[in-house]
Amino acid sequence: MKSVQNTHNSAGFDDLHNALLMIVGTFNRPQRDELLIKESNIQLDRALFPLLIQIGRFGPIGVVELAERAGRDYTTVSRQVAKLEELGLAQRQKNAKDKRVNEAVITATGKAMTDKIDAARAQIYQHLFENWQDSERTELARLLQKFVGDFMAIDRSE
């Protein structure tokens, strides 16, 4: 009886994992970034786009952490952050508590750009969720936040 229960749970987890992989894959498609760049009416190299978004959402953020979040090599991300600096969209600074840590922080110009991106994303989501009830969107956000929080707690406990 127990093995039947484990098989059932495993299948449920497989479905969940497959759905999560599909979400990540969908969000990571270059076409998604290109669409948001176009809809935002901004000029930005697509390779820099996810970094600017991450810096805007989570900055100040260590360049090592930024590389991990982006799934890219530290040296590549460091060069790309330097490019964002050249464009006036981000700047690097030393971490206030640990001067060995370089952080990226968004500038006012970068924030203006991410505001345009956020507005374009909101229009896309408005269309995407037009047939959803407010309570369904709220519940989806709540459950995803709960999942991420619990998943991140695993990383912290190791």
Side-chain angles (χ1 to χ4, degrees):
M1 181 85 152
K2 189 173 184 176
S3 64
V4 171
Q5 183 68 26
N6 287 343
T7 302
H8 176 69
N9 284 342
S10 176
F13 290 136
D14 287 347
D15 291 345
L16 175 61
H17 186 70
N18 289 342
L20 292 169
L21 288 174
M22 290 175 67
I23 290 169
V24 170
T26 299
F27 273 94
N28 285 338
R29 287 186 180 150
Q31 299 88 341
R32 296 281 180 227
D33 293 349
E34 290 169 4
L35 175 64
L36 278 170
I37 290 168
K38 180 183 174 206
E39 293 296 318
S40 302
N41 198 27
I42 61 171
Q43 298 295 316
L44 184 65
D45 182 323
R46 191 188 54 75
L48 302 177
F49 179 83
L51 298 178
L52 180 65
I53 298 301
Q54 295 271 349
I55 294 167
R57 292 269 189 233
F58 304 111
I61 183 171
V63 177
V64 171
E65 182 182 348
L66 183 60
E68 289 173 359
R69 283 179 177 265
R72 297 181 189 170
D73 178 73
Y74 167 80
T75 56
T76 300
V77 169
S78 184
R79 283 192 305 271
Q80 291 171 325
V81 170
K83 182 65 176 169
L84 288 169
E85 273 190 297
E86 289 172 22
L87 296 170
L89 302 173
Q91 64 185 40
R92 283 184 279 196
Q93 63 187 27
K94 295 292 183 186
N95 179 281
K97 294 179 182 172
D98 186 347
K99 300 295 183 198
R100 297 170 297 171
V101 175
N102 288 314
E103 305 178 313
V105 63
I106 198 160
T107 64
T109 303
K111 175 75 169 97
M113 187 175 279
T114 60
D115 286 349
K116 289 180 182 181
I117 295 164
D118 289 345
R121 182 182 299 106
Q123 287 182 328
I124 291 168
Y125 282 2
Q126 182 68 36
H127 178 71
L128 176 70
F129 289 110
E130 67 188 1
N131 293 319
W132 286 51
Q133 299 294 318
D134 288 344
S135 60
E136 291 174 314
R137 288 193 310 271
T138 300
E139 184 67 0
L140 176 63
R142 185 188 70 77
L143 291 172
L144 288 172
Q145 290 167 355
K146 180 179 180 181
F147 175 81
V148 169
D150 290 349
F151 205 77
M152 289 174 69
I154 293 170
D155 291 342
R156 288 189 293 268
S157 68
E158 291 179 353

XYZ file of all heavy atoms in Angstrom, residues 32-37 40 42 44-55 72 84 113-114 117 121:
218
model
N 11.043 36.169 -25.475
C 10.300 36.892 -24.427
C 10.983 38.222 -24.123
O 10.344 39.253 -24.006
C 10.216 36.067 -23.137
C 9.450 34.811 -23.279
C 7.955 35.059 -23.237
N 7.305 33.774 -23.389
C 6.302 33.549 -24.202
N 5.787 34.526 -24.906
N 5.783 32.361 -24.303
N 12.309 38.161 -23.984
C 13.055 39.388 -23.720
C 12.935 40.349 -24.899
O 12.722 41.549 -24.708
C 14.533 39.085 -23.452
C 14.740 38.309 -22.163
O 13.785 38.180 -21.374
O 15.875 37.834 -21.953
N 13.048 39.814 -26.103
C 12.940 40.658 -27.301
C 11.574 41.315 -27.382
O 11.457 42.491 -27.742
C 13.229 39.832 -28.555
C 14.685 39.432 -28.678
C 14.948 38.395 -29.757
O 14.008 38.009 -30.489
O 16.107 37.959 -29.863
N 10.525 40.568 -27.030
C 9.174 41.127 -27.040
C 9.058 42.270 -26.031
O 8.534 43.343 -26.360
C 8.138 40.045 -26.720
C 6.689 40.523 -26.570
C 6.162 41.086 -27.882
C 5.810 39.391 -26.064
N 9.569 42.071 -24.829
C 9.485 43.128 -23.821
C 10.329 44.341 -24.207
O 9.919 45.478 -23.970
C 9.913 42.606 -22.449
C 8.823 41.861 -21.694
C 9.388 41.163 -20.471
C 7.701 42.803 -21.301
N 11.480 44.112 -24.810
C 12.307 45.224 -25.284
C 11.542 46.018 -26.332
O 11.478 47.248 -26.274
C 13.659 44.708 -25.828
C 14.528 44.203 -24.668
C 14.383 45.782 -26.628
C 15.757 43.409 -25.099
N 8.461 47.780 -24.834
C 8.871 48.863 -23.936
C 9.408 50.065 -24.696
O 9.613 51.132 -24.113
C 9.964 48.369 -22.979
O 9.526 47.277 -22.242
N 12.444 50.448 -25.901
C 13.764 50.792 -25.375
C 14.836 50.229 -26.292
O 14.559 49.339 -27.107
C 13.973 50.254 -23.938
C 13.861 48.728 -23.905
C 13.004 50.916 -22.969
C 14.258 48.097 -22.594
N 18.217 48.226 -25.915
C 19.056 47.496 -24.982
C 19.417 46.155 -25.591
O 18.546 45.460 -26.131
C 18.321 47.276 -23.647
C 19.112 46.607 -22.527
C 20.288 47.492 -22.085
C 18.212 46.305 -21.338
N 20.685 45.806 -25.515
C 21.154 44.502 -25.968
C 20.410 43.435 -25.167
O 20.324 43.504 -23.936
C 22.660 44.417 -25.724
C 23.274 43.117 -26.204
O 22.639 42.046 -26.084
O 24.421 43.168 -26.692
N 19.892 42.447 -25.869
C 19.103 41.400 -25.210
C 19.902 40.675 -24.120
O 19.349 40.267 -23.102
C 18.566 40.403 -26.234
C 17.543 39.468 -25.639
C 17.144 38.359 -26.579
N 18.259 37.592 -27.091
C 18.944 36.674 -26.393
N 18.635 36.440 -25.144
N 19.934 36.008 -26.944
N 21.216 40.526 -24.298
C 22.041 39.842 -23.296
C 22.089 40.615 -21.980
O 22.278 40.036 -20.919
C 23.455 39.626 -23.835
N 21.910 41.935 -22.046
C 21.948 42.772 -20.851
C 20.594 42.856 -20.154
O 20.508 43.198 -18.976
C 22.429 44.178 -21.200
C 23.810 44.277 -21.856
C 24.114 45.719 -22.219
C 24.886 43.682 -20.974
N 19.550 42.563 -20.890
C 18.177 42.719 -20.405
C 17.920 41.998 -19.076
O 17.487 42.637 -18.104
C 17.193 42.256 -21.489
C 15.749 42.346 -21.086
C 15.056 43.538 -21.195
C 15.079 41.238 -20.589
C 13.718 43.626 -20.824
C 13.755 41.317 -20.211
C 13.073 42.509 -20.334
N 18.165 40.668 -18.978
C 17.853 40.000 -17.713
C 18.689 40.509 -16.541
O 18.216 40.523 -15.404
C 18.119 38.518 -17.975
C 18.889 38.456 -19.236
C 18.655 39.735 -19.984
N 19.898 40.945 -16.821
C 20.741 41.474 -15.744
C 20.178 42.786 -15.221
O 20.123 43.008 -14.003
C 22.176 41.654 -16.223
C 22.881 40.369 -16.659
C 24.277 40.690 -17.168
C 22.922 39.344 -15.545
N 19.756 43.661 -16.118
C 19.161 44.927 -15.693
C 17.914 44.662 -14.851
O 17.712 45.304 -13.811
C 18.822 45.804 -16.899
C 18.192 47.154 -16.556
C 19.175 48.035 -15.786
C 17.710 47.854 -17.816
N 17.092 43.726 -15.278
C 15.875 43.390 -14.533
C 16.233 42.885 -13.140
O 15.655 43.317 -12.139
C 15.035 42.334 -15.290
C 14.572 42.869 -16.651
C 13.855 41.852 -14.438
C 13.735 44.116 -16.589
N 17.203 41.972 -13.056
C 17.606 41.415 -11.759
C 18.184 42.498 -10.854
O 17.871 42.542 -9.655
C 18.654 40.308 -11.963
C 18.145 39.104 -12.704
C 17.538 38.048 -11.798
O 17.655 38.106 -10.581
N 16.883 37.084 -12.397
N 19.015 43.371 -11.404
C 19.597 44.454 -10.601
C 18.486 45.379 -10.103
O 18.472 45.789 -8.943
C 20.652 45.241 -11.405
C 21.859 44.350 -11.711
C 21.088 46.498 -10.658
C 22.809 44.921 -12.764
N 24.969 32.345 -15.362
C 26.086 32.703 -16.227
C 27.377 32.727 -15.419
O 27.362 32.820 -14.200
C 25.867 34.088 -16.850
C 24.661 34.151 -17.749
C 24.524 35.528 -18.353
N 23.259 35.657 -19.057
C 22.797 36.796 -19.517
N 23.488 37.914 -19.348
N 21.650 36.847 -20.150
N 26.582 47.760 -18.657
C 25.442 48.489 -18.109
C 25.899 49.792 -17.462
O 25.213 50.811 -17.554
C 24.666 47.629 -17.094
C 23.847 46.477 -17.669
C 23.353 45.560 -16.552
C 22.675 46.995 -18.492
N 14.184 52.929 -17.279
C 14.055 51.895 -18.296
C 13.269 50.699 -17.763
O 12.388 50.180 -18.451
C 15.436 51.450 -18.786
C 15.369 50.489 -19.958
S 16.997 50.083 -20.636
C 17.283 51.534 -21.660
N 13.560 50.274 -16.537
C 12.815 49.135 -15.994
C 11.351 49.494 -15.739
O 10.484 48.627 -15.815
C 13.468 48.563 -14.708
O 13.525 49.566 -13.707
C 14.847 47.975 -14.999
N 9.719 48.791 -18.943
C 9.606 47.337 -19.099
C 8.458 46.814 -18.244
O 7.650 45.991 -18.702
C 10.939 46.650 -18.728
C 12.036 47.055 -19.719
C 10.777 45.131 -18.668
C 13.449 46.753 -19.256
N 5.210 44.785 -19.461
C 4.902 43.475 -18.884
C 3.480 43.477 -18.322
O 2.740 42.504 -18.482
C 5.910 43.115 -17.793
C 5.670 41.731 -17.192
C 6.636 41.366 -16.072
N 8.008 41.335 -16.535
C 8.923 42.269 -16.249
N 8.599 43.311 -15.499
N 10.154 42.163 -16.695
